[in-house]
Amino acid sequence: MSAELVLEATCRMLGAWAFLSGAGWLVDAPQWAGGGPLGRDLHRLRRSRWTQWRPFDLLHDSRFLALLGGIQAALGLWLVLLPGQPLIALVALGLIGATQALRGANDGSDKVAMVVIAGGLLQAAGIALDQPVLTFAGALWIGGQLTLAYATAGIAKLRHAVWRNGTAIQGVLSSYMHGCGWAARVVRANGPAKLLAWSVIVLEVLFPLALLLPTSWLAVVLGLFLLFHLAIAAAMGLHTYPLAFAATYPATLVLGQWLRIRLGIG
C-alpha cells in the first residue's frame, strides 16, 4: 500500500468518526446547561481546583460545547470528502485534535481517535515533506498502539475469572447503561456466554502474531475485529467505536508488512 493510499483510508474513517462524534456532542450540548444532567454546576461538586477556575465555565458552557461539536463534525466531513491531500489532512487533523482536546476524552473511542490523529499528523507531514521516516513513524505509532491495546485487553480479561467464565459478558449485556435485550438473552446460558468471552480473549491475546501473517490474511483478522466492534455498537449503542478502530487498520497493515520484510517472512 502506498503512503498516500494509507493516509486517504485513515482520513476517511477518522473523518467519519469525527463527524458522528461531533454531531453527537452538538445534539447533546443542551444537557450541559446549568441544572441539566451534565451541567457544569454538578461538576463543581467535585470541589477540585480546576472546577473553580474561570476557564472551566467556558469549556463546560453548553453553547461552547455545541460550537466545538459543530466544528468537529464539519472538519470530519471535510476529511471524508477530501482525504488524500497531505496539507488538508494536516490542517483538518490538527483542528480535530484541538477540538477533541478541549472537549476531553470521554470514552475509549475518543482515546483511540486521538492516537490516530497523532499518527495521521506524522504520516501527512512525512508525505508533504517527502520524509518516509516520518510517514512510517505515524504508521508505527498507530499500528503499535492498536496491537498493544488488543493484547493488553486480552491479557487483562484472561486474568479475571468473571471473564473466563462468561459472567462479565452476561453482566455488561444486561446492565442498565449498556444492556441489550436480545444480546442478553443470547448469552443468558453459561455456554454461549463462555464461548463468546473466550473467543474475544483468544483473538485479543494472539493479535500480535497476526502481524506476521500475509497482508490478505491480516486484513481478514482485522475484518473479524471490525465485525466484533460493529456487534458491540449494535448491542451497546457505542456507535463511534467501529470507525475509531477501523481508522487504525490501514497503518496496522503497513506495520505488518514492514515486520514481515524485516524478519524475512514471505
Side-chain angles (χ1 to χ4, degrees), residues 113-172:
M114 290 299 280
V115 168
V116 176
I117 288 169
L121 287 170
L122 287 173
Q123 290 176 310
I127 295 172
L129 299 173
D130 194 22
Q131 294 292 328
V133 173
L134 273 180
T135 305
F136 176 70
L140 177 62
W141 169 254
I142 296 173
Q145 287 288 325
L146 178 72
T147 303
L148 287 173
Y150 280 153
T152 54
I155 293 170
K157 292 181 179 71
L158 186 60
R159 293 178 58 188
H160 291 87
V162 291
W163 268 99
R164 296 195 302 270
N165 60 27
T167 305
I169 289 283
Q170 293 172 328
V172 170

Side-chain angles (χ1 to χ4, degrees), residues 7-85:
L7 178 64
E8 179 178 344
T10 301
C11 286
R12 282 193 188 277
M13 287 179 280
L14 195 278
W17 167 86
F19 176 78
L20 284 181
S21 179
W25 271 79
L26 182 60
V27 171
D28 293 339
Q31 299 183 44
W32 291 86
L38 301 175
R40 62 184 183 274
D41 50 339
L42 294 180
H43 287 274
R44 285 187 179 278
L45 296 177
R46 297 177 181 176
R47 299 186 182 278
S48 67
R49 180 177 301 177
W50 159 241
T51 61
Q52 307 307 315
W53 289 358
R54 183 71 177 175
F56 177 86
D57 290 330
L58 173 61
L59 291 177
H60 285 78
D61 181 81
S62 59
R63 291 167 297 182
F64 183 71
L65 290 172
L67 176 63
L68 287 180
I71 291 173
Q72 184 164 310
L75 289 168
L77 186 60
W78 187 22
L79 266 187
V80 170
L81 297 176
L82 298 169
Q85 302 296 324

